[in-house]
Amino acid sequence: MADRPTLLHRIMPSGEIMPYRAAVHIFAVALFGGLSAPISAAPLGNAPTFARIFGDHSVLQRDRPLAIWGQAAPHARVRVTLGGGAATAVADASGKWQATLPAHHAGGPYTLTATADGVSTNLADVMVGDVYLCGGQSNMEFPARLSTGAWSGLGSPADSGLRFATIVKDSEPAPLADLHDPAPWKIAGPDTIPDASAVCYYMARALRKSEHVPVGFVAADWGGTTIQGWISAGALATLPAYRERVAQVARLAVDAPGAHADEDHRQEAWWDAHDPQASAERAWIAPGFDDTGWPVYTPNGSWKDAGVTQLSGFDGVVWLRKRVDLTAAQAAAATQMQLGPVDTFDTTWINGHRVGSGGTAWAWRIYDLPAGTLHAGANEIVLRVLGGGGPTGDPAMRGIRTTTGELIPLEGAWRYRTGMRATGLAVPPAPWDVPTSLTTLYNGMIAPIARYGWKLAAWYQGESNVGAANEYATLLPMLMADWRRASGEPELPFAIVQLANYGTPRSDPAESGWAELRAAQARVARADPHAALAVTIDVGDRFDIHPSQKLVVGERLANAARVIAYHHDGVVGGPEAIAVTRSGGDLIIQFRNTGAGLRSYGASVVIGFEVCAVTRCHFVPGEAAGSIVRLRGAGDTQSTRVRYAWADAPITNLYGGGELPVVPFELPVKDHNGNSDVVR
């Protein structure tokens, strides 16, 4: 058990996934000189280095003291200079140092220099302006080259006043003092922007044009992740539902074998509680088990499509076994087993030793292989899969990786045997499993850069938390407070992207997890004086959870930023409903932030409104005029609530000034005393 791997991993700039154990080794090498920070020239002698968020072409936040930190010889005296400003720091016993430079107005380029013991490290072409931190899941990660209009919109000449950095994906059990990898700063241009975050780029570009200062953005995002992974352990552990699992993650950092042993016992206890055959089937894990009587199939997509009668339409447990012959050299050089995606929950053993598990159908399984896991000759691989498809990836990408980069293939047939039939069952994943991990993304991608200095944070996430809107209404403000605390900026503005329309349109009203999540996002933004909402209900794609119209989203974020971060006059977001009252036989909905007034596009009536009586709702057309919408004939005494755009993929046509769509909502109908004014 001492050499058990973890499932925490990093995504390298090349796209390669590196498990956590290898990441720890690289961090140790980096700390003691094997890797250097992104500097103009390699440091000489005992030259201090900067933390990896700093680099050539970086942008530092204007008009506030600048925290600069890095590594030097223990107890070294470090002098830091930028332009005409200077500061001195003394490294601690481990060599960590931090200096605070005086505030600078927007300008540059400068050279940022750290000097100790007569030798210096220089960062060139450093600008001072405004810096934005962009976080979230895949719609924040979505690259500019895939956005609508990219073929004509990304070819502009490079703008030396617009720069960006992308944080390498890194999942860690404890907060890092520094990034494992440099986050190279790049000048925005046709050769660099295509792979940048589209939403963040379009927001930054718009603000660059309107504010006329150098700007930079830092993207820290990871597709498919839940919000829980982006919150610190200290914050998340204040919620009783997470306290024990957060403690498990913390234990992983100091006692990985013990943490894995506990997780193994928990998972096997789950199997004993849910599968009557679990105990007997564990015999199939043992090396040397005679599986010659098992049938075979070749995993290439879902097992339901394999042309095997027994697996066609099968949901439940399937055991898979395969032997692979290795030379002594191959066994000694093996570092990882790469299975690709597995539908849905797998537990994997090699030669009777458990090497990992995962529970997200689209997530690749890449498991670390400690020394001694494999040996010369025949090796037995066993998978227990609970789901509806098994290994679904390209068989050519399935294999054992070695230190030389070789991929020893695991193509061809596997022996299989079915277990219990089951639908709707899910093994709770380990608390460090990405994409549903707790706190690990904060540890690896936010903690090391939190002090950098930010003008604004932009957040685009929530798709992976649909179905838990009430909890999200607690977690989102927790994340905002957490990042503000870590950055030392208690009033850091947050611009939140509300989820776009996605899914099957409905011809009759129904409940919607997406609508509930949007309502939670709106409540959080409304309650925070330093937050704003960018509504995107009209620019989604009901067929694609990753809509390509990112330009509009980025510009709506910029519009919000001008109000909450730059304090310009203007409407922070789209029109918001504030009250529903009866007027004769009609219902009157009052709005704010309407600009020049409400208008409907494509028809003289407004669509998307529902009037509800207890649990039954029906569509009602509306008439927009000024700052109100009238629902004629809908004001009978049975009407208790009004909803708008309350669906996964609603069809809407109501806008205010600035082409901003109305914020989806649900409101109670007020009585004649004005009661029941809770907004959702």
Side-chain angles (χ1 to χ4, degrees):
M1 293 296 294
D3 290 322
R4 278 295 310 278
T6 75
L7 288 178
L8 296 174
H9 55 277
R10 303 162 55 219
I11 307 295
M12 305 299 290
S14 64
E16 176 186 359
I17 302 176
M18 177 173 292
Y20 169 70
R21 186 170 301 280
V24 169
H25 169 70
I26 284 184
F27 182 49
V29 172
L31 194 59
F32 295 106
L35 297 175
S36 63
I39 57 176
S40 300
L44 302 174
N46 292 322
T49 58
F50 292 95
R52 293 180 178 86
I53 186 60
F54 299 98
D56 295 337
H57 316 302
S58 56
V59 182
L60 302 176
Q61 181 57 47
R62 62 174 168 144
D63 300 332
R64 66 184 65 174
L66 294 170
I68 311 292
W69 67 96
Q71 194 77 19
H75 309 297
R77 190 173 187 83
V78 182
R79 176 177 169 80
V80 182
T81 61
L82 177 76
T88 301
V90 177
D92 65 16
S94 67
K96 296 184 179 69
W97 60 267
Q98 177 172 325
T100 303
L101 287 167
H104 283 59
H105 296 307
Y110 298 109
T111 298
L112 178 63
T113 300
T115 304
D117 297 326
V119 289
S120 299
T121 297
N122 299 312
L123 300 181
D125 187 33
V126 174
M127 304 295 289
V128 177
D130 289 335
V131 191
Y132 317 123
L133 174 60
C134 297
Q137 58 181 111
S138 53
N139 273 307
M140 183 61 84
E141 185 179 358
F142 192 97
R145 59 183 166 80
L146 298 181
S147 62
T148 299
W151 64 274
S152 61
L154 300 183
S156 302
D159 179 1
S160 64
L162 176 55
R163 291 119 183 264
F164 70 97
T166 302
I167 304 302
V168 174
K169 292 177 174 60
D170 194 356
S171 176
E172 298 290 336
L176 295 182
D178 194 8
L179 297 169
H180 278 305
D181 298 280
W185 282 84
K186 301 176 182 179
I187 295 173
D191 296 330
T192 61
I193 282 300
D195 289 323
S197 162
V199 165
C200 204
Y201 164 64
Y202 289 127
M203 177 189 74
R205 186 180 71 174
L207 292 172
R208 162 85 171 131
K209 290 179 180 178
S210 66
E211 306 310 313
H212 309 294
V213 296
V215 301
F217 65 89
V218 176
D221 42 47
W222 194 322
T225 54
T226 56
I227 192 173
Q228 290 90 334
W230 297 97
I231 300 173
S232 74
L236 199 58
T238 62
L239 300 177
Y242 291 102
R243 192 168 298 144
E244 181 178 345
R245 285 180 288 162
V246 168
Q248 284 182 270
V249 175
R251 185 183 180 189
L252 185 67
V254 296
D255 179 17
H260 276 291
D262 286 348
E263 179 60 21
D264 293 350
H265 291 318
R266 183 193 66 79
Q267 289 190 13
E268 292 309 314
W270 183 95
W271 280 100
D272 287 335
H274 293 83
D275 184 356
Q277 306 168 48
S279 179
E281 290 176 352
R282 289 191 183 102
W284 302 345
I285 300 167
F289 173 79
D290 183 6
D291 59 14
T292 55
W294 289 19
V296 299
Y297 94 103
T298 300
N300 185 10
S302 172
W303 64 45
K304 294 179 180 177
D305 301 322
V308 177
T309 301
Q310 190 176 9
L311 297 177
S312 178
F314 184 84
D315 290 291
V317 178
V318 174
W319 288 77
L320 301 170
R321 290 179 56 91
K322 188 175 186 63
R323 290 177 177 83
V324 58
D325 290 320
L326 302 176
T327 67
Q330 287 175 322
T335 59
Q336 301 170 2
M337 183 169 69
Q338 178 175 299
L339 294 175
V342 178
D343 181 8
T344 300
F345 190 94
D346 75 289
T347 311
T348 299
W349 296 265
I350 296 181
N351 296 327
H353 300 288
R354 184 172 180 146
V355 296
S357 64
T360 301
W362 53 263
W364 275 52
R365 311 306 204 264
I366 298 183
Y367 298 135
D368 239 356
L369 302 179
T373 303
L374 296 166
H375 52 246
N379 294 265
E380 298 182 56
I381 301 169
V382 180
L383 274 68
R384 176 182 58 195
V385 180
L386 171 63
T392 57
D394 181 355
M397 298 301 294
R398 201 175 294 137
I400 296 169
R401 288 205 174 273
T402 69
T403 54
T404 63
E406 178 186 8
L407 182 66
I408 302 168
L410 293 175
E411 297 180 90
W414 292 58
R415 295 193 178 274
Y416 76 91
R417 184 164 174 179
T418 58
M420 71 169 178
R421 288 185 174 271
T423 56
L425 278 182
V427 183
W432 47 76
D433 277 2
V434 178
T436 58
S437 65
L438 307 181
T439 202
T440 66
L441 309 181
Y442 173 90
N443 293 339
M445 301 173 70
I446 300 299
I449 65 172
R451 297 170 285 165
Y452 188 75
W454 314 103
K455 181 70 172 180
L456 169 83
W459 180 250
Y460 194 168
Q461 190 278 335
E463 297 91 340
S464 290
N465 289 89
V466 166
N470 288 337
E471 182 183 46
Y472 198 83
T474 297
L475 294 173
L476 180 54
M478 175 178 285
L479 176 140
M480 294 159 64
D482 199 32
W483 289 19
R484 287 166 173 162
R485 173 200 53 77
S487 67
E489 301 173 40
E491 296 182 353
L492 178 68
F494 263 83
I496 302 162
V497 181
Q498 193 179 47
L499 295 188
N501 46 315
Y502 166 70
T504 304
R506 297 190 59 90
S507 57
D508 56 306
E511 296 306 313
S512 166
W514 284 73
E516 293 279 359
L517 201 289
R518 294 186 196 108
Q521 292 172 317
R523 288 200 303 274
V524 171
R526 189 182 303 116
D528 191 312
H530 306 292
L533 192 70
V535 182
T536 65
I537 198 67
D538 59 331
V539 292
D541 185 335
R542 67 184 180 92
F543 299 104
D544 192 342
I545 201 170
H546 304 117
S548 63
Q549 184 52 274
K550 301 304 189 194
L551 172 61
V552 174
V553 180
E555 291 185 338
R556 286 178 183 172
L557 281 173
N559 179 71
R562 293 186 188 102
V563 177
I564 62 171
Y566 292 94
H567 309 294
H568 297 333
D569 292 334
V571 176
V572 72
E576 290 184 274
I578 57 176
V580 181
T581 56
R582 290 186 176 87
S583 176
D586 303 337
L587 291 178
I588 304 295
I589 307 166
Q590 184 71 42
F591 290 82
R592 64 185 174 193
N593 298 336
T594 59
L598 297 169
R599 68 202 70 178
S600 59
Y601 291 149
S604 59
V605 297
V606 180
I607 61 174
F609 284 94
E610 304 172 22
V611 175
C612 304
V614 191
T615 60
R616 295 176 61 84
C617 303
H618 62 280
F619 289 123
V620 176
E623 301 171 4
S627 61
I628 69 167
V629 167
R630 181 183 295 271
L631 305 181
R632 291 196 179 275
D636 62 83
T637 57
Q638 300 301 312
S639 300
T640 58
R641 291 172 293 138
V642 172
R643 311 195 296 201
Y644 174 73
W646 204 261
D648 295 358
I651 308 298
T652 61
N653 68 338
L654 184 60
Y655 288 77
E659 298 294 312
L660 296 176
V662 166
V663 181
F665 69 88
E666 181 182 58
L667 277 175
V669 177
K670 289 184 178 181
D671 61 23
H672 64 281
N673 294 318
N675 296 324
S676 301
D677 57 353
V678 178
V679 178
R680 188 164 76 164

